[in-house]
Amino acid sequence: MLYSLEAGGKRIRPLLLLATLEAFGEDVNKGMLTAAAIEMIHTYSLIHDDLPSMDNDDLRRGKPTNHKVFGDAFAILAGDAMLTYSFQLIAETPSEYTNANTLLRLIKELSKAAGAEGMVGGQVADINGENNELSLKDLEYIHIHKTGKLLQYSVVAGAILAEANESTIKTLEEFAYHLGLAFQIRDDILDLEGTEAMIGKPVGSDTSKHKSTYPSILTLDGAKEVLHSHIQQAKEKLRETGLNTELLEEITDLIETRNH
Amino acid sequence: MLYSLEAGGKRIRPLLLLATLEAFGEDVNKGMLTAAAIEMIHTYSLIHDDLPSMDNDDLRRGKPTNHKVFGDAFAILAGDAMLTYSFQLIAETPSEYTNANTLLRLIKELSKAAGAEGMVGGQVADINGENNELSLKDLEYIHIHKTGKLLQYSVVAGAILAEANESTIKTLEEFAYHLGLAFQIRDDILDLEGTEAMIGKPVGSDTSKHKSTYPSILTLDGAKEVLHSHIQQAKEKLRETGLNTELLEEITDLIETRNH
């Protein structure tokens, strides 16, 4: 568990949650355990995705993947334990920061975002789509679920902890929808344009696995255009909230230009 | 997910939870979603345990194991989604039955019982112990964690939902400790004395995998003696509670004599 948690990574999901709390002028400590829970779920999903029966990847974040070091059985169990622990972390948020009903809502929404209706459902669709030519709609379905739902949850969880009204939560959810798609399109572009040192795994792995990507469907220039459009729509949603969203805007800009 | 959930099984964990509520004279509907959550966690753990990289079992509950039908990737993901969904189920218990603080406690305790400190930790110890001669103490550690913690949780969850006082919860936890060990010893005995039709999987699989078992350490007669002693201690703990525990006693008797 520690091996994969300490392997680094961008920590974009916890950052989004804390930056959302910041936008509401809230104490970021309110969200620290939920932020850790989200990163734990993300990391477990990488461990399981990297397994030989799934993506069969040897490198992650520049280090050998979990199963390469500990074997498949312990990699599966490390993931299981991390997924289980993430719910405990949220439930253990000290009562000085929030109330039990808010924590229950966070747990319910996390389960939806990470489970069969969300991230796991996206991974199932991804596997089903392998070696098939996907339409843009199929590809979006995969990314909205596999990556998007947990990114959206990161922002929504911050808003829930800030006791935001439902209409503001909805607007932030739409912001995160565009951010999530932008994030994934940038990922696809990096797989073509990046270097192994930049992205911590071999470049061109999507192509060699015959995976459909935004550039393979839209061309590289087309993918960059769609990326830019999602970034603009994300920022528009941020403006709509009327909150102090500087930090969230900076993260949004970073996602368009990131090299890893 | 449905394939494995509908494969049957004894449903001993949900039964224990509902029988505990019954002992307190409570409406069993209070515990229906938590009972479902526990069975879901148990079923996910079987799917993952049966994988080729773990126990590599082809039969479970008389049917081909999940990965034999759907492949390893979907078996892993079905387990992940069920584990995730179990927390949602508890969190969705209608507010007419209980309050948010009780549900949060149920979620925290489930995470401990099912995660690295509990069931998953027991599975790790089990794998580490393979092909080694285990002491009785090692074997008990494995069973207390791998099977015992979730069985204990089933009883404790009923008591928590019944708003029992901490001392009664503790006594019921001790009852379930003995019941859990008895359950596992009976399992080991059935692996020697049962038939494939009775237990839904090949007999003698522990022996062929060189697994240490209660009979292999204590002899068959010795194992039966220890089984009986745990059953007696479990019943003594039930009497200590002063509750109406008829149903729990019946389940306890069944565990000593069960054939599957």
Side-chain angles (χ1 to χ4, degrees), chain B residues 38-141:
Chain B
I38 297 172
E39 187 67 11
M40 209 164 276
I41 294 232
H42 172 57
T43 305
Y44 115 75
S45 79
L46 299 181
I47 296 175
H48 283 191
D49 282 7
D50 287 338
L51 287 165
S53 57
M54 304 238 220
D55 287 355
N56 194 21
D57 280 316
D58 296 346
L59 271 181
R60 169 71 70 180
R61 295 169 171 173
K63 292 171 70 176
T65 45
N66 195 294
H67 67 271
K68 281 276 155 190
V69 181
F70 302 101
D72 293 8
F74 289 136
I76 294 168
L77 291 168
D80 292 346
M82 285 160 80
L83 170 55
T84 310
Y85 191 48
S86 64
F87 291 97
Q88 187 178 336
L89 279 172
I90 298 178
E92 282 176 347
T93 301
S95 57
E96 64 191 276
Y97 290 128
T98 186
N99 59 68
N101 277 310
T102 299
L103 293 179
L104 272 188
R105 180 167 175 192
L106 286 177
I107 286 166
K108 262 185 265 190
E109 297 293 333
L110 177 59
S111 175
K112 285 184 202 165
E117 294 176 47
M119 188 181 74
V120 172
Q123 174 69 355
V124 168
D126 194 14
I127 294 175
N128 278 330
E130 267 169 26
N131 301 314
N132 289 321
E133 290 253 343
L134 299 183
S135 68
L136 190 62
K137 216 183 138 194
D138 296 335
L139 190 65
E140 285 203 338
Y141 178 92

Side-chain angles (χ1 to χ4, degrees), chain B:
Chain B
M1 293 162 77
L2 274 177
Y3 173 81
S4 290
L5 285 169
E6 292 179 346
K10 295 175 285 294
R11 312 294 200 211
I12 183 80
R13 291 159 191 80
L15 275 175
L16 279 171
L17 190 154
L18 302 182
T20 304
L21 279 171
E22 183 83 17
F24 285 94
E26 294 276 340
D27 179 357
V28 292
N29 287 308
K30 262 194 176 187
M32 221 43 104
L33 289 180
T34 304
I38 297 172
E39 187 67 11
M40 209 164 276
I41 294 232
H42 172 57
T43 305
Y44 115 75
S45 79
L46 299 181
I47 296 175
H48 283 191
D49 282 7
D50 287 338
L51 287 165
S53 57
M54 304 238 220
D55 287 355
N56 194 21
D57 280 316
D58 296 346
L59 271 181
R60 169 71 70 180
R61 295 169 171 173
K63 292 171 70 176
T65 45
N66 195 294
H67 67 271
K68 281 276 155 190
V69 181
F70 302 101
D72 293 8
F74 289 136
I76 294 168
L77 291 168
D80 292 346
M82 285 160 80
L83 170 55
T84 310
Y85 191 48
S86 64
F87 291 97
Q88 187 178 336
L89 279 172
I90 298 178
E92 282 176 347
T93 301
S95 57
E96 64 191 276
Y97 290 128
T98 186
N99 59 68
N101 277 310
T102 299
L103 293 179
L104 272 188
R105 180 167 175 192
L106 286 177
I107 286 166
K108 262 185 265 190
E109 297 293 333
L110 177 59
S111 175
K112 285 184 202 165
E117 294 176 47
M119 188 181 74
V120 172
Q123 174 69 355
V124 168
D126 194 14
I127 294 175
N128 278 330
E130 267 169 26
N131 301 314
N132 289 321
E133 290 253 343
L134 299 183
S135 68
L136 190 62
K137 216 183 138 194
D138 296 335
L139 190 65
E140 285 203 338
Y141 178 92
I142 291 171
H143 291 316
I144 287 165
H145 290 82
K146 186 172 167 171
T147 339
K149 291 287 181 186
L150 197 61
L151 276 168
Q152 272 188 302
Y153 175 77
S154 309
V155 172
V156 167
I160 289 172
L161 279 161
E163 319 264 346
N165 62 50
E166 295 306 318
S167 122
T168 305
I169 292 180
K170 183 105 186 48
T171 308
L172 283 169
E173 201 173 2
E174 287 162 1
F175 151 71
Y177 171 87
H178 293 294
L179 192 79
L181 279 173
F183 184 86
Q184 193 57 49
I185 299 170
R186 185 69 196 155
D187 226 46
D188 284 359
I189 293 172
L190 277 172
D191 190 69
L192 283 177
E193 288 192 332
T195 65
E196 182 164 327
M198 272 158 59
I199 63 178
K201 56 185 178 185
V203 290
S205 66
D206 293 338
T207 315
S208 66
K209 284 178 192 156
H210 307 286
K211 280 206 170 182
S212 299
T213 65
Y214 284 91
S216 81
I217 295 176
L218 298 170
T219 77
L220 189 55
D221 283 345
K224 284 178 181 175
E225 250 173 64
V226 176
L227 166 62
H228 189 68
S229 154
H230 280 299
I231 294 287
Q232 293 311 111
Q233 290 175 82
K235 286 174 157 182
E236 177 54 35
K237 287 294 168 187
L238 282 184
R239 276 187 294 273
E240 268 181 42
T241 64
L243 298 167
N244 177 18
T245 56
E246 262 174 79
L247 210 49
L248 286 172
E249 274 169 62
E250 273 182 50
I251 295 174
T252 307
D253 283 330
L254 262 177
I255 280 180
E256 183 168 15
T257 56
R258 70 192 174 92
N259 285 320
H260 62 280

Side-chain angles (χ1 to χ4, degrees), chain A residues 44 48 51 53-54 72-74 76-77 80 83-84 87-88 91-92 100-101 108 111-112 120 123 127-128, chain B residues 44 48 51 53-54 72-74 76-77 80 83-84 87-88 91-92 100-101 108 111 120 123 127-128:
Chain A
Y44 115 75
H48 282 192
L51 287 165
S53 56
M54 301 237 220
D72 293 8
F74 288 136
I76 294 169
L77 290 168
D80 292 347
L83 170 54
T84 309
F87 291 97
Q88 187 178 332
E92 282 176 348
N101 277 310
K108 261 184 266 187
S111 175
K112 286 184 201 163
V120 173
Q123 173 69 356
I127 294 175
N128 276 331
Chain B
Y44 115 75
H48 283 191
L51 287 165
S53 57
M54 304 238 220
D72 293 8
F74 289 136
I76 294 168
L77 291 168
D80 292 346
L83 170 55
T84 310
F87 291 97
Q88 187 178 336
E92 282 176 347
N101 277 310
K108 262 185 265 190
S111 175
V120 172
Q123 174 69 355
I127 294 175
N128 278 330

Side-chain angles (χ1 to χ4, degrees), chain A residues 8-241:
Chain A
K10 293 174 285 295
R11 312 293 200 213
I12 183 80
R13 292 159 190 79
L15 274 175
L16 279 171
L17 190 153
L18 302 182
T20 304
L21 278 171
E22 182 82 19
F24 285 95
E26 294 276 339
D27 179 358
V28 292
N29 287 308
K30 262 195 174 185
M32 220 45 103
L33 289 180
T34 305
I38 298 172
E39 187 67 12
M40 209 164 275
I41 295 230
H42 172 57
T43 305
Y44 115 75
S45 79
L46 298 181
I47 295 175
H48 282 192
D49 282 8
D50 287 338
L51 287 165
S53 56
M54 301 237 220
D55 286 356
N56 194 21
D57 280 316
D58 296 347
L59 271 181
R60 168 72 70 181
R61 295 170 172 173
K63 293 171 69 177
T65 45
N66 196 296
H67 67 271
K68 280 276 155 189
V69 179
F70 301 102
D72 293 8
F74 288 136
I76 294 169
L77 290 168
D80 292 347
M82 286 159 79
L83 170 54
T84 309
Y85 192 49
S86 64
F87 291 97
Q88 187 178 332
L89 279 172
I90 298 178
E92 282 176 348
T93 301
S95 57
E96 65 191 277
Y97 290 128
T98 184
N99 59 68
N101 277 310
T102 299
L103 294 179
L104 272 188
R105 181 168 176 192
L106 286 177
I107 286 166
K108 261 184 266 187
E109 298 293 333
L110 177 59
S111 175
K112 286 184 201 163
E117 293 176 45
M119 187 182 73
V120 173
Q123 173 69 356
V124 167
D126 194 15
I127 294 175
N128 276 331
E130 266 169 27
N131 300 312
N132 289 322
E133 291 253 341
L134 299 182
S135 68
L136 189 63
K137 215 182 139 195
D138 296 335
L139 190 66
E140 285 204 336
Y141 179 92
I142 292 171
H143 292 315
I144 287 165
H145 290 81
K146 187 173 169 173
T147 337
K149 291 285 180 186
L150 197 61
L151 276 168
Q152 270 187 304
Y153 175 77
S154 309
V155 171
V156 167
I160 290 172
L161 278 162
E163 319 264 346
N165 63 49
E166 294 306 318
S167 122
T168 305
I169 293 179
K170 184 103 186 45
T171 307
L172 283 169
E173 202 174 2
E174 288 162 0
F175 152 70
Y177 171 88
H178 292 295
L179 192 78
L181 279 174
F183 184 85
Q184 193 57 50
I185 298 169
R186 184 69 195 157
D187 227 43
D188 284 359
I189 292 172
L190 277 172
D191 190 68
L192 283 178
E193 288 193 332
T195 65
E196 184 165 325
M198 271 158 60
I199 63 177
K201 57 186 178 185
V203 288
S205 67
D206 293 338
T207 315
S208 66
K209 285 176 190 155
H210 306 288
K211 280 206 168 181
S212 299
T213 64
Y214 284 90
S216 81
I217 296 176
L218 298 171
T219 75
L220 189 56
D221 282 344
K224 284 179 179 174
E225 249 173 65
V226 175
L227 165 62
H228 189 68
S229 154
H230 281 300
I231 293 286
Q232 292 310 109
Q233 289 175 82
K235 287 175 157 180
E236 176 55 36
K237 288 292 167 188
L238 282 184
R239 275 187 295 272
E240 269 182 41
T241 64

